[in-house]
């Protein structure tokens, strides 16, 4: 895929949504960075207070923050070639909070249900399964999985999981505060 074709496909994908330009009420373009920084600062303060670690507020500070950037990876295994949008959150106001949240949630792994990380792990899980007559193994391809996950439903599931893990209420509130804000930036 050459650069003009890539650029054209990305612009078409953006035009088709769910993306939209940030504009003031008068129609002029606006930069959402200041509002993002202000909101991230509020979450930083709240989380530090809830968790009881004043150093977290400083630890979460991102010097010279910027708005997330979008790029795409061509899905060369598809015909026609599709585009997979990637949101880079490097240096965004919530980058360090997101990294902290990932580390915190690793302390409370999901021990029920089943998931696989990749096709190799899937094959390992399936290798000893025998299908009976009339049974069919089905695979579904989800388009834009993460942008289509209902945020409130995901937050409710996270809360229920943390409650089952007996995480203290103030920590749950801190985790949910961070998780709810990260969604805005990505």
């Amino acid at each position: 895929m050459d650069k003009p074709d890539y650029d054209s496909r990305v612009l078409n994908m953006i035009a088709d949504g769910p993306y939209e330009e940030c504009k003031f009420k008068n129609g002029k373009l606006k930069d959402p960075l200041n509002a993002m920084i202000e909101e991230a600062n509020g979450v930083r303060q709240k989380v530090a207070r809830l968790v009881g670690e004043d150093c977290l507020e400083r630890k979460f500070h991102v010097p010279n923050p910027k708005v997330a950037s979008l790029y795409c990876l061509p899905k060369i295994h598809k015909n026609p070639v599709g585009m997979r949008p990637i949101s880079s959150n490097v240096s965004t106001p919530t980058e360090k909070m997101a990294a902290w949240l990932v580390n915190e949630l690793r302390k409370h792994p999901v021990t029920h249900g089943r998931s696989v990380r990749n096709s190799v792990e899937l094959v390992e899980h399936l290798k000893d399964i025998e299908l009976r007559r009339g049974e069919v193994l089905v695979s579904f391809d989800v388009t834009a999985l993460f942008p289509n996950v209902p945020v409130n439903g995901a937050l409710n599931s996270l809360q229920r999981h943390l409650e089952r893990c007996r995480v203290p209420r103030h920590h749950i509130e801190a985790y949910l505060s961070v998780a709810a804000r990260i969604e805005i930036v990505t």
Side-chain angles (χ1 to χ4, degrees), residues 28-185:
K28 292 184 180 180
L29 291 179
K30 71 174 179 177
D31 182 356
L33 184 59
N34 288 335
M36 294 166 125
I37 292 169
E38 188 175 308
E39 187 166 11
N41 287 342
V43 174
R44 284 176 28 209
Q45 293 168 355
K46 179 178 181 179
V47 169
R49 185 179 74 299
L50 286 168
V51 177
E53 294 181 35
D54 293 334
C55 65
L56 277 182
E57 192 173 346
R58 287 185 305 281
K59 184 178 177 181
F60 289 164
H61 177 72
V62 176
N64 303 316
K66 64 180 189 174
V67 176
S69 59
L70 175 76
Y71 65 94
C72 294
L73 298 176
K75 294 181 182 181
I76 58 174
H77 61 285
K78 300 281 186 179
N79 188 9
V81 173
M83 301 299 280
R84 174 171 290 137
I86 308 291
S87 174
S88 173
N89 292 323
V90 174
S91 296
T92 61
T94 58
E95 176 191 25
K96 292 182 180 182
M97 283 190 279
W100 172 81
L101 181 61
V102 167
N103 287 330
E104 288 294 306
L105 294 181
R106 282 189 179 135
K107 297 174 185 175
H108 312 287
V110 175
T111 56
H112 58 280
R114 192 167 258 200
S115 66
V116 294
R117 294 183 191 269
N118 53 42
S119 59
V120 174
E121 193 174 313
L122 175 64
V123 168
E124 184 63 29
H125 281 292
L126 295 177
K127 73 178 183 183
D128 296 327
I129 293 179
E130 291 184 31
L131 295 177
R132 292 180 282 211
R133 185 181 304 258
E135 290 183 325
V136 178
L137 183 63
V138 179
S139 173
F140 295 98
D141 187 13
V142 179
T143 302
L145 174 62
F146 291 111
N148 288 307
V149 172
V151 174
N152 288 335
L155 292 172
N156 289 337
S157 293
L158 176 59
Q159 180 175 351
R160 285 192 306 274
H161 169 69
L162 294 170
E163 288 169 349
R164 279 193 300 271
C165 292
R166 297 187 176 9
V167 174
R169 182 75 209 141
H170 59 281
H171 280 228
I172 292 174
E173 188 177 343
Y175 297 159
L176 292 174
S177 294
V178 173
R181 297 292 55 92
I182 292 170
E183 173 268 331
I184 292 172
V185 178

